[in-house]
Amino acid sequence: MQQGPELEWLTRRLADCPEDFLLQEAPGQQDPDLEAVVADLLRDLGQGQVSEKETKAFRDDGSLPRATRRLALITSWLLHDAWFLNQARFASAALRLLSSGLLELSQLVKIELFVRDPDRREELVRLTLAALELIPAGENEALAKDRLTTLSSVERKRVLEATKAARDHAERVRKAMAEKAAEESAARYGRE
């Protein structure tokens, strides 16, 4: 992985994300056109011509959950930083991230936290950099990966589910052993 921009710079950029990108539920508020935002981003990232097929997933037709649309807008804001634009080589990785890499995360965390909470900002920045095969400036790959794993809401969910499954399994085993012990005790008592 290559060195990317400074983590602090990108987290600050997220903190400065315009309110329009948060898609607040306000009566009469017009949502930004995500399809147009993504098309502009891809062009600005060096893709050149952007096809309708590439941006179809970002239409406001209900196919993409609202939370995912909101997170895609915020991530597009993040990727529109001059550091990424000057590289002119991240369009395809950005499209993959925006179209499929945000779905699970967007269902786990309140979207505004990716702008307002320092840990969630760092999580989104690190996730975005990893999707572009970059690490924050001044870090090595192991540190970047470890920090992303530590912050990852998706990883935390996976660990909690695995812990619950292990706890449920241990409880079933405990109950089975207790039942077997009771049966053996009853059998012994019946012989005496």
Side-chain angles (χ1 to χ4, degrees), residues 42-95:
L42 296 177
R43 274 191 292 279
D44 292 345
L45 288 173
Q47 181 164 325
Q49 190 65 26
V50 178
S51 73
E52 188 177 309
K53 181 181 175 186
E54 292 171 307
T55 61
K56 181 180 178 182
F58 303 104
R59 288 192 185 135
D60 190 9
D61 60 5
S63 60
L64 201 59
R66 183 164 175 83
T68 307
R69 293 178 58 76
R70 292 176 68 199
L71 188 54
L73 273 170
I74 293 167
T75 306
S76 295
W77 164 259
L78 176 66
L79 287 167
H80 229 110
D81 183 72
W83 193 94
F84 300 112
L85 301 179
N86 291 336
Q87 301 291 316
R89 62 184 172 102
F90 295 116
S92 60
L95 181 60

Side-chain angles (χ1 to χ4, degrees), residues 104-154:
E104 188 173 9
L105 180 61
S106 69
Q107 303 305 308
L108 296 174
V109 178
K110 288 184 177 186
I111 302 308
E112 43 284 334
L113 292 179
F114 290 108
V115 173
R116 297 190 177 116
D117 180 75
D119 285 342
R120 297 299 59 89
R121 283 194 302 261
E122 184 178 346
E123 177 182 10
L124 183 56
V125 167
R126 288 182 179 281
L127 177 70
T128 301
L129 290 174
L132 302 179
E133 298 183 0
L134 296 170
I135 57 175
E139 291 186 11
N140 62 44
E141 193 171 337
L143 175 63
K145 190 178 287 188
D146 181 58
R147 186 68 183 146
L148 176 57
T149 301
T150 300
L151 289 167
S152 175
S153 299
V154 172

Side-chain angles (χ1 to χ4, degrees), residues 17-33:
C17 183
E19 286 292 318
D20 292 349
F21 279 72
L22 295 178
L23 288 181
Q24 296 298 324
E25 304 280 345
Q29 179 182 359
Q30 184 70 28
D31 290 345
D33 183 347

